[in-house]
Amino acid sequence: MTTSELTEEDSFSGKDYQEPPPVKIFEARELGKWSFYRAVIAEFIATLLFLYVTVLTVIGFKSQTDAQSGGGACASVGLLGISWAFGGMIFILVYCTAGISGGHINPAVTFGLFLASKVSLVRAISYMVAQCLGATCGVGLVKLFQSTYYNRYGGGANVLADGYNVGVGVAAEIIGTFVLVYTVFSATDPKRNARDSHIPVLAPLPIGFSVFMVHLATIPITGTGINPARSFGAAVVYNNQKAWDDHWIFWVGPFVGAAIAAFYHQFVLRAGAMKAYGSVRSQLHELHA
């Protein structure tokens, strides 16, 4: 076989790379470690900052485009600016917290990683609670500092836009979250990390950019959830009936999208099912030998 015939996987097989073992579903020993609580705090603070900046951007956009207040489309950041705010904050916060908590900042991401046996049940639940609390506190700060604008312009809450049915909204959330979680899996793949370890921003950059692109596509449909904590925090603080009526969309859609992304990456792209089958076959062969 010539050098040109080597596959990408063959080319990097000599790298200092080892597939991490699956995390146990129940890992109670984590509760006795400070690193666990430090990670939970990091998720809380990161999600708080994420919601504070992004919801403030959304409300600022709506106030600047309000014709009754003398605003106009040219005076605002526009949908492009909102998308950059969400994507940019994810890039920054994942970069800051990846080494502490993994930089999830999203229950759907945590759920997908849990399904892939990359985090334990204890850690997954703790992260989700911290993320939802952080999101609520972040939106609460926005309401505290901008109470007049906050109530007038919808509080940044996710709702299904007029003209779209529930099926379209759920589908938009599933596909959008699939893009995000699929990017997370690909960007944090241990083989890719071993190969590209000289580029420390490689993982946060595509993750943030995926959030940016999904927002461009789905803001007109659902306001773009793809993050149940983001939708939950805004709904709790704004406390509007329409937001609560549509709220289930922003949990079901992201969790289904995350599950599909986890299955696709682990069992199709990484051939997890074939590896497990091969392992079982080899063990059976050894027993019969």
Side-chain angles (χ1 to χ4, degrees):
M1 181 182 292
T2 64
T3 304
S4 61
E5 293 173 326
L6 289 173
T7 63
E8 183 181 6
E9 189 166 340
D10 293 330
S11 302
F12 295 100
S13 60
K15 287 285 186 180
D16 184 15
Y17 151 73
Q18 184 177 1
E19 187 74 32
V23 175
K24 295 180 180 179
I25 295 179
F26 298 101
E27 191 61 76
R29 289 181 298 176
E30 288 185 314
L31 296 174
K33 298 179 180 179
W34 163 242
S35 60
F36 170 78
Y37 296 100
R38 182 180 62 182
V40 172
I41 293 171
E43 287 293 311
F44 171 84
I45 296 298
T47 316
L48 183 154
L49 294 174
F50 176 59
L51 266 293
Y52 173 74
V53 172
T54 55
V55 171
L56 205 55
T57 302
V58 170
I59 292 173
F61 161 74
K62 290 185 176 181
S63 67
Q64 291 168 341
T65 56
D66 187 355
Q68 295 181 350
S69 300
C74 295
S76 74
V77 296
L79 294 182
L80 188 64
I82 293 175
S83 300
W84 272 123
F86 279 89
M89 281 302 293
I90 288 296
F91 168 66
I92 293 168
L93 294 170
V94 170
Y95 180 80
C96 292
T97 60
I100 301 171
S101 66
H104 296 193
I105 321 170
N106 185 336
V109 171
T110 301
F111 181 65
L113 294 173
F114 167 72
L115 293 179
S117 298
K118 295 184 181 296
V119 295
S120 68
L121 181 62
V122 171
R123 185 175 291 264
I125 293 175
S126 300
Y127 275 16
M128 291 181 190
V129 171
Q131 290 156 0
C132 289
L133 290 175
T136 303
C137 291
V139 181
L141 288 177
V142 175
K143 184 174 183 179
L144 178 66
F145 297 147
Q146 298 280 353
S147 58
T148 302
Y149 288 145
Y150 179 87
N151 293 318
R152 184 186 304 170
Y153 297 115
N158 286 122
V159 295
L160 185 63
D162 294 336
Y164 294 97
N165 60 44
V166 169
V168 173
V170 173
E173 289 296 308
I174 290 174
I175 296 171
T177 310
F178 175 87
V179 172
L180 169 59
V181 178
Y182 174 39
T183 305
V184 169
F185 274 107
S186 299
T188 59
D189 188 289
K191 185 173 291 186
R192 185 186 299 273
N193 288 341
R195 185 183 63 198
D196 302 325
S197 58
H198 60 289
I199 312 178
V201 298
L202 192 62
L205 183 59
I207 293 171
F209 201 69
S210 70
V211 172
F212 164 71
M213 295 302 295
V214 171
H215 274 75
L216 284 179
T218 59
I219 282 178
I221 303 172
T222 61
T224 308
I226 70 171
N227 184 335
R230 174 259 187 273
S231 303
F232 177 79
V236 168
V237 178
Y238 187 51
N239 197 26
N240 174 268
Q241 188 60 46
K242 169 64 173 170
W244 284 121
D245 288 344
D246 294 342
H247 188 63
W248 66 272
I249 295 173
F250 303 101
W251 284 90
V252 173
F255 272 48
V256 171
I260 297 172
F263 177 83
Y264 176 63
H265 185 269
Q266 293 297 104
F267 293 100
V268 178
L269 298 185
R270 294 302 303 275
M274 293 303 297
K275 290 177 182 177
Y277 174 70
S279 177
V280 171
R281 276 194 68 181
S282 64
Q283 291 176 20
L284 291 174
H285 180 73
E286 290 175 1
L287 288 175
H288 289 294

